Amino acid sequence: VYNSEFGLHGPCAMRSLRKFVPEDKLWPLNDVWEHHIQDNPYNTIPETFVQVQEKCASILFHKPESAAEFVKVAGTFHAEILREELEHHRRRMFVNAGALVWMLNDCWPCASWSIIDYYGLPKQVYYYLKRACAPVLPSFRRTKAGVELYAISDLRESVPASLRVEWQTVDGEVRTLARRKIALTAQTSAMVLKVAAKDLPKTPGYLYANVQYGRDETATTYFPDLWKKIRWPEPGLRMHVGRRVRKEGDFSALVTLTTERYARCVNLSTAEDIHAYFSDNFFDMVPGQSKCVEVRSADPFDPLALRLNHWLTTWDDAKSNTATGPCGEEPPKTAKRRRATATT
């Protein structure tokens, strides 16, 4: 079986929205939005596509009260749904032989199905799907009996690995559920752990899975009760920005991030309206984690003007936070550090 199409629509960044929506039409949602999120003439549901975005994002997170808030919740809804579907297809290797994401980019300015907008700016969903395509991926699946964990490997050879599964709270409390050796069989998806519903702690939190293989590691977080009732703490993010250098014809800078508590949807953007590529973006960070992100662009950019956002900030380029931490010095340290890259 080959899944020939799956997709969903979601908004682009405020930077792109302002290029085709007048400032006085950005909020509340109106006919200008409707014009740029073309409805399906065969649609049988009562809501238009833009109304579906707002409704579903409100159910999953909260009701937006501004255009920037709509970009945050509807964009995250778009990213989470497509990430979960892609992981679903990968978990079913090779019962399912493949899946095609609808769609890559837009042919006109809109806030629709694409993962790269009309202006060439990757949406939040782009980075979610990139992480979901990692060659080795731990992936949780909810069942009536509890939660299953799959180890997915696209490696061409089988390798030994170490698995660690924990229950954590967003404030950093940790309870170990499993530590064991596993085999990553080449080009295989295999269930490696079951957690019964009765064994899931009753306190609000999430499952964290870390897989180490050779010198590499990959990790994921999974919220069994989703996100609406989570009281996100101020994460205590710190950012060190390295000097801008030339690399393979581009301009490049390294950004090191650390966090004290759980940081949701951490994202970087340039102050200038240029095409910049981030090695990773819109990611979650677990308490004590350190993460390095490379920023590259064909255009010169000011590393100290990079903007940092997370779930508790306003995702508006005109109001975003700027870099903290001097250029070129050692990045700040936290009491506890993880090398793992946590996906959402």
Side-chain angles (χ1 to χ4, degrees), residues 24-25 62 196:
D24 63 343
K25 294 291 187 178
H62 58 265

Side-chain angles (χ1 to χ4, degrees), residues 131-337:
R131 291 191 293 269
C133 288
V136 174
L137 181 72
S139 177
F140 286 103
R141 173 176 177 262
R142 188 67 182 264
T143 68
K144 292 181 179 180
V147 177
E148 298 171 346
L149 175 64
Y150 286 74
I152 304 165
S153 174
D154 279 342
L155 301 178
R156 302 298 294 272
E157 297 180 352
S158 299
V159 296
S162 298
L163 170 68
R164 184 174 83 252
V165 181
E166 298 170 345
W167 178 268
Q168 298 190 14
T169 69
V170 292
D171 294 310
E173 297 179 17
V174 178
R175 172 182 164 186
T176 300
L177 299 180
R179 281 181 181 268
R180 64 182 62 167
K181 300 293 184 181
I182 62 172
L184 291 176
T185 306
Q187 297 180 317
T188 298
S189 171
M191 186 173 60
V192 293
L193 183 70
K194 280 186 177 182
V195 182
K198 63 181 180 59
D199 295 328
L200 291 172
K202 303 304 179 186
T203 55
Y206 59 93
L207 288 161
Y208 171 84
N210 178 287
V211 176
Q212 294 187 348
Y213 57 106
R215 295 185 177 181
D216 296 313
E217 66 177 326
T218 183
T220 190
T221 59
Y222 179 76
F223 286 79
D225 295 321
L226 300 180
W227 304 276
K228 191 161 190 175
K229 295 182 180 179
I230 297 292
R231 302 300 180 195
W232 304 103
E234 180 60 44
L237 276 169
R238 297 186 68 187
M239 179 165 70
H240 162 82
V241 183
R243 292 183 177 89
R244 191 185 72 196
V245 298
R246 293 305 297 267
K247 183 176 180 181
E248 300 172 344
D250 290 336
F251 295 91
S252 172
L254 293 179
V255 178
T256 301
L257 297 164
T258 58
T259 187
E260 297 176 13
R261 290 166 292 277
Y262 199 98
R264 174 76 165 135
C265 293
V266 180
N267 61 91
L268 296 161
S269 62
T270 57
E272 305 92 340
D273 187 12
I274 60 175
H275 285 82
Y277 174 78
F278 298 87
S279 59
D280 200 3
N281 214 356
F282 294 96
F283 46 82
D284 287 12
M285 295 179 66
V286 298
Q289 183 182 350
S290 174
K291 184 176 177 68
C292 185
V293 176
E294 182 186 18
V295 186
R296 293 184 67 167
S297 176
D299 302 306
F301 62 92
D302 181 4
L304 285 180
L306 286 170
R307 289 165 171 164
L308 173 66
N309 278 301
H310 55 83
W311 191 255
L312 300 182
T313 62
T314 301
W315 294 11
D316 192 333
D317 297 313
K319 302 176 183 178
S320 299
N321 303 319
T322 54
T324 58
C327 217
E329 295 185 2
E330 288 297 314
K333 296 181 179 180
T334 57
K336 173 186 172 187
R337 303 183 70 175

Side-chain angles (χ1 to χ4, degrees), residues 89-105:
H89 295 310
R90 291 196 66 190
R91 286 194 300 263
R92 298 175 65 238
M93 183 196 312
F94 282 99
V95 174
N96 185 73
L100 184 67
V101 179
W102 180 266
M103 62 185 187
L104 180 66
N105 59 350

